[in-house]
Amino acid sequence: MNTLWAKDTGETIFEHTANVVGTANKICSGLPFPDNERKQLSVALSLLAVFHDLGKAATGFQNSLRHKKGWGHRHEIISTAIANILVPEIPKEALFAILTHHRSIPESITTKREKCLPLNELPFDGDTPAWDQMIMECLQNWDALRELLLCFTKLCPLDIPAYLRFNGLGLPEIVLHRVHQKKMAGFNRRNASLLRGLLVSADHIASAHQFDLPIVPVQNDFRPVIYHHELKDQNILPFQERCAETEGDAILKAPTGSGKTAAILLWAVKNQVSNGRLFYVLPHTASINAMYRRLQKIYGEIAVGVLHHKNAASLYHMFESDYPSIEAAKLAKTISALARELYHPIRVTTPHQILRVALQGKGWELGLAEFPNACFIFDEIHAFEPLLTGLTIATVKWLKTMGAKVLFASATLPSFLESILKTECCIDYGQVICPDPGNAADKAVLNKLRHKVEIRQGSLLANIDAVIHEIKASDKTALIICNHVATSQIVWARLNAVFDGVLLLHARFNAEDRFRIESAIQGKKPPRILVATQAVEVSLDLDYESGYIEPAPADALGQRLGRINRKGSRPPAPVVIFKEPSAVSKGRPLYLPYDKEVTEKTVSLLGDIRFLTEKILTEIVNDIYEGGYHGEAKNDYDKGLKNQTIANFDENIIAGTYRDWVENVIEGTDGQFEVLPMNLYERYVDLKKAGRYLEARLLLVPVQSRQINKLYREGVLSWDNDIDEYRTTLQYSSKSGLSLSQQEENIF
């Protein structure tokens, strides 16, 4: 038999197909469906796997591999036609999955970024020379293809004819029409999408040669491991025990450092069904990376995946200490790609990645296979913006229709938001879990005196000399948290001129430096003094002995205070909260990104308090948010909650497509552009020339999209066609990050 190749790596069509069939069977065995459905899907998916690449037998494709040049045609079109010939009873949904496993259905005037099947190669409009050419090239290799098909009879029963007589695709043209597909009777768009997603994922995983798919962990088996890692083998607290006994959707309110994560995982133990996945959702990439490593210690490395828009860079940083840089980059790319497939049964992710499925963004079909009967944990939901909160709640209502169980967790959950969650998500009062003040052990958590608060007149920058003097006179470690990057850079520069080893953390470092700084502050010997922005607010496991904090709403302050005397194992830590922000605009204090009225009310209420407990902080949170969302925030929340794509998910399905705008508005880069500082330009170019693309991208610095136009006008930012990136002449330092001083001097 003439060898028929599937890839330019030397893998034959038979080898690749056998790998995809094996991977498909493993995927189906781990799906969260009843046994009979899993078996039916396994048979169907194996058949799709057998046919999905047969079009590559065409002489043109084979020649393209040998000569390293493109064929110019779509092999999956011929694959579909062959399946239509050899399996007359094959469902239209299966043929559709084969046809679209690489490309979306043909484009329309609304299509923007999708790669689509070419209309001129589809046999619908009479005179189709491209189709005729592909058929001819396939028949030129018929002898080799027939021998290959005979080999495939070992994988599935096939009646191989002596000669192929093509008879179209077996699909009506309307199925490939974006506007009219919904009118096609007898075509199940959801099933077609599910089969397509399963086939694509099996193909991708097999192509990556990752054949040892992790088995879905049985959560109940990990209860002792959770006790060991999260409770440190200490006695379980009553609120944690209640979480472990709660079945169904719930709300968990527990202070930072009280063992909230242990309670969350014990809830998952109680609520997992057979093959049920676990999705742990957090609002920030830093907290996601930390939780990823934390869960790997419990469930093992292969079972846990991390998913956010910079997961490849994060994984590279984790691997680079154990592997040479090129190998670390290759491994990071592989693992980050697997996080988007049906591979890891436990995923730590941003809410955007869940919304990407609910809003039918790229790759949304996999949610149909993973989301049913899964456990979803939305941690720190109080930190979500109103639009994101509304979209998340709308998504939860959709998830519940598939049998998913949901836990909302927060250290400082306002009563109005708790009421919204209970009403919209149908969570009973009895399913709200928090430390019980009537129980001695839980009461100790609520009444633990962790902070001694002082409200100081003026701003942090106005008091910087006094702050330096106080840190000098003390032997305590100190955490200084600022509201703006520019403030943090100025404060750091002042402190760094006096003290050794002061570190700075904010959002305007490139990934390479940010990973280094995060590792240092979470290492065995963290810096005595850390200056930071909101980047430290969520889930970073820090425990400083004193603090100086710019004003913020009570819920944000709760997160900041959670990095100071975290466990409450020491006497109350001194914390200074300044009455005014350091940034000014037009001569007035600039409270953004926070609401001025809410922030001022928080500071006013704290003025009467000396020793702060979780109970008091919760009361303040409820007081300042008594009216709930209002104004623009209310409009954003309602817009998200009433999103019609989510509310009418099945009705809105157009199989073989995804929604372009989702990537731009919801996922994208979370409102950021990446720019290359000129002092890193030469290194960036050298890395790209060496083929070390991932390492090169680690040098790019995120900048908020709202700042881009200003930087353009100031002449410090431009697009570089040679590297296809923005470059900037603004100063960048590995210690202080990117300075926007030319832009920010107007507000300081």
Side-chain angles (χ1 to χ4, degrees):
M1 178 180 73
N2 293 329
T3 302
L4 296 175
W5 305 102
K7 300 178 182 297
D8 58 8
T9 57
E11 190 171 36
T12 67
I13 294 179
F14 181 81
E15 290 168 339
H16 174 63
T17 299
N19 289 337
V20 177
V21 170
T23 302
N25 287 327
K26 289 180 180 179
I27 285 176
C28 290
S29 68
L31 292 177
F33 301 141
D35 286 343
N36 63 323
E37 288 187 35
R38 288 203 294 264
K39 291 175 183 176
Q40 290 172 3
L41 278 172
S42 184
V43 171
L45 195 57
S46 294
L47 184 66
L48 300 186
V50 165
F51 284 100
H52 83 290
D53 267 0
L54 288 183
K56 291 181 177 180
T59 53
F61 184 90
Q62 293 298 304
N63 289 334
S64 73
L65 290 183
R66 292 184 177 92
H67 301 296
K68 307 290 185 182
K69 63 179 182 180
W71 181 31
H73 298 296
R74 299 309 312 173
H75 72 270
E76 57 267 39
I77 295 176
I78 300 301
S79 300
T80 307
I82 295 173
N84 182 44
I85 297 169
L86 298 184
V87 189
E89 71 280 6
I90 190 169
K92 290 181 175 59
E93 293 82 0
L95 290 171
F96 183 91
I98 297 171
L99 180 64
T100 62
H101 78 274
H102 282 305
R103 295 291 178 96
S104 296
I105 61 177
E107 63 186 359
S108 70
I109 58 173
T110 62
T111 311
K112 295 179 181 178
R113 295 172 54 191
E114 288 176 271
K115 293 182 178 179
C116 301
L117 291 166
L119 273 171
N120 68 312
E121 295 183 7
L122 298 171
F124 293 123
D125 296 326
D127 185 21
T128 51
W131 162 263
D132 296 337
Q133 176 69 26
M134 290 190 292
I135 295 300
M136 181 190 71
E137 292 185 15
C138 183
L139 293 176
Q140 285 173 346
N141 251 356
W142 168 239
D143 290 340
L145 177 56
R146 188 173 190 278
E147 288 186 50
L148 178 62
L149 287 168
L150 290 171
C151 293
F152 283 159
T153 57
K154 301 172 185 177
L155 301 176
C156 68
L158 293 173
D159 184 14
I160 312 300
Y163 190 77
L164 281 183
R165 297 184 182 277
F166 285 90
N167 187 29
L169 300 178
L171 289 168
E173 185 176 2
I174 190 175
V175 171
L176 305 182
H177 197 288
R178 292 169 180 259
V179 175
H180 301 305
Q181 185 189 90
K182 296 179 183 180
K183 301 176 183 177
M184 173 64 190
F187 180 72
N188 190 312
R189 289 174 285 123
R190 186 185 180 102
N191 286 350
S193 301
L194 173 61
L195 288 173
R196 181 191 193 224
L198 291 172
L199 178 59
V200 169
S201 196
D203 190 15
H204 288 174
I205 294 171
S207 296
H209 289 181
Q210 300 296 315
F211 306 123
D212 295 326
L213 274 70
I215 298 172
V216 180
V218 178
Q219 290 281 344
N220 196 51
D221 294 343
F222 285 87
R223 184 187 290 262
V225 188
I226 294 170
Y227 276 39
H228 174 69
H229 281 282
E230 293 297 324
L231 299 178
K232 311 301 181 186
D233 295 323
Q234 298 175 358
N235 291 334
I236 187 170
L237 292 171
F239 84 88
Q240 294 168 330
E241 184 64 51
R242 187 176 164 204
C243 225
E245 295 172 352
T246 297
E247 187 171 352
D249 305 326
I251 296 171
L252 171 62
K253 301 185 296 181
T256 301
S258 66
K260 177 161 62 81
T261 302
I264 286 170
L265 296 180
L266 291 172
W267 172 86
V269 169
K270 180 67 174 179
N271 285 277
Q272 185 191 33
V273 300
S274 177
N275 282 338
R277 265 63 171 173
L278 174 62
F279 293 89
Y280 202 118
V281 185
L282 284 159
H284 303 296
T285 56
S287 55
I288 288 168
N289 294 336
M291 186 59 69
Y292 167 66
R293 292 187 289 265
R294 194 167 173 176
L295 295 187
Q296 279 189 318
K297 293 177 181 178
I298 295 174
Y299 301 105
E301 291 186 5
I302 193 172
V304 185
V306 60
L307 186 56
H308 54 73
H309 74 278
K310 288 188 177 180
N311 61 338
S314 302
L315 289 163
Y316 172 79
H317 171 69
M318 296 175 197
F319 297 150
E320 65 177 340
S321 60
D322 298 322
Y323 301 93
S325 59
I326 294 177
E327 190 175 342
K330 183 178 179 181
L331 184 60
K333 289 178 182 177
T334 298
I335 301 300
S336 67
L338 289 174
R340 295 183 180 273
E341 306 297 340
L342 282 163
Y343 191 79
H344 303 292
I346 297 173
R347 225 78 53 85
V348 191
T349 182
T350 63
H352 303 88
Q353 300 297 337
I354 307 300
L355 292 174
R356 178 170 54 87
V357 176
L359 291 165
Q360 297 178 20
K362 190 173 183 180
W364 65 271
E365 296 94 340
L366 288 188
L368 302 177
E370 290 194 293
F371 286 3
N373 303 313
C375 287
F376 287 84
I377 293 141
F378 291 92
D379 198 358
E380 308 298 355
I381 190 171
H382 69 273
F384 291 12
E385 295 295 328
L387 174 62
L388 187 56
T389 301
L391 287 167
T392 298
I393 293 175
T395 298
V396 165
K397 296 165 80 168
W398 169 64
L399 291 170
K400 285 162 65 74
T401 66
M402 294 186 285
K405 304 287 178 57
V406 180
L407 175 69
F408 296 102
S410 176
T412 49
L413 185 68
S415 292
F416 90 90
L417 185 52
E418 178 184 333
S419 178
I420 287 174
L421 295 176
K422 287 191 290 188
T423 301
E424 295 291 344
C425 302
C426 301
I427 299 174
D428 295 335
Y429 176 80
Q431 300 289 96
V432 178
I433 306 162
C434 55
D436 180 6
N439 182 285
D442 277 356
K443 184 178 181 180
V445 171
L446 291 171
N447 293 335
K448 189 172 287 185
L449 297 176
R450 293 193 298 159
H451 307 106
K452 184 171 64 175
V453 177
E454 174 196 345
I455 302 298
R456 188 171 294 182
Q457 295 293 322
S459 69
L460 170 59
L461 283 181
N463 285 275
I464 192 64
D465 290 333
V467 170
I468 291 172
H469 175 76
E470 290 166 10
I471 294 176
K472 271 186 177 181
S474 170
D475 60 353
K476 298 180 184 296
T477 58
L479 175 63
I480 298 96
I481 304 181
C482 309
N483 289 353
H484 300 92
V485 173
T487 306
S488 71
Q489 290 171 324
I490 296 170
V491 171
W492 173 82
R494 292 291 305 274
L495 291 167
N496 192 56
V498 178
F499 302 98
D500 293 330
V502 182
L503 286 188
L504 173 63
L505 176 66
H506 57 66
R508 244 186 266 148
F509 282 102
N510 64 29
E512 181 180 70
D513 291 325
R514 176 150 182 167
F515 293 143
R516 172 183 52 79
I517 295 166
E518 287 181 359
S519 295
I521 66 179
Q522 295 184 99
K524 293 181 179 180
K525 291 185 177 180
R528 183 196 168 202
I529 304 171
L530 173 64
V531 181
T533 59
Q534 298 91 328
V536 299
E537 285 185 13
V538 181
S539 293
L540 289 182
D541 193 7
L542 308 178
D543 189 12
Y544 277 81
E545 296 170 325
S546 65
Y548 297 88
I549 300 176
E550 289 212 273
D555 51 337
L557 284 179
Q559 294 300 316
R560 298 178 181 193
L561 292 169
R563 316 305 134 191
I564 303 167
N565 199 8
R566 184 171 176 82
K567 302 289 185 181
S569 55
R570 300 185 298 271
V575 177
V576 174
I577 300 173
F578 295 96
K579 194 168 184 179
E580 295 181 355
S582 297
V584 295
S585 178
K586 298 179 180 178
R588 296 181 179 180
L590 181 67
Y591 283 85
L592 292 174
Y594 303 114
D595 181 89
K596 179 177 183 290
E597 183 179 343
V598 171
T599 302
E600 288 182 333
K601 189 172 182 180
T602 295
V603 173
S604 175
L605 291 171
L606 285 171
D608 298 327
I609 295 165
R610 182 161 177 77
F611 293 99
L612 186 63
T613 66
E614 291 296 331
K615 184 175 182 295
I616 294 173
L617 183 62
T618 299
E619 291 171 352
I620 293 175
V621 169
N622 289 335
D623 195 340
I624 64 172
Y625 289 115
E626 184 179 10
Y629 293 128
H630 56 85
E632 192 63 34
K634 180 67 164 59
N635 292 336
D636 286 345
Y637 166 75
D638 287 340
K639 179 181 176 182
L641 182 66
K642 297 173 183 177
N643 183 280
Q644 292 304 299
T645 300
I646 303 174
N648 302 302
F649 185 90
D650 279 4
E651 292 86 343
N652 285 315
I653 287 175
I654 302 175
T657 70
Y658 66 88
R659 295 174 182 266
D660 298 310
W661 63 271
V662 174
E663 299 291 313
N664 294 322
V665 176
I666 299 300
E667 187 186 27
T669 54
D670 298 333
Q672 295 177 343
F673 284 83
E674 292 185 319
V675 304
L676 179 66
M678 285 304 297
N679 59 322
L680 299 177
Y681 191 93
E682 185 176 346
R683 186 175 166 214
Y684 178 90
V685 171
D686 288 344
L687 285 169
K688 289 195 75 172
K689 285 181 179 178
R692 296 162 68 175
Y693 303 105
L694 181 55
E695 292 170 80
R697 292 205 63 80
L698 294 179
L699 302 181
L700 301 177
V701 181
V703 174
Q704 292 295 319
S705 57
R706 59 183 171 79
Q707 296 167 326
I708 292 296
N709 288 336
K710 292 182 180 179
L711 297 178
Y712 258 123
R713 289 197 301 269
E714 292 173 358
V716 297
L717 183 74
S718 61
W719 178 259
D720 190 317
N721 288 321
D722 292 334
I723 61 172
D724 289 330
E725 299 288 354
Y726 289 104
R727 66 177 181 178
T728 180
T729 56
L730 292 169
Q731 183 179 354
Y732 181 82
S733 162
S734 62
K735 293 183 178 180
S736 61
L738 185 71
S739 172
L740 303 187
S741 57
Q742 294 182 50
Q743 178 187 7
E744 291 169 339
E745 63 184 5
N746 295 326
I747 61 172
F748 286 92

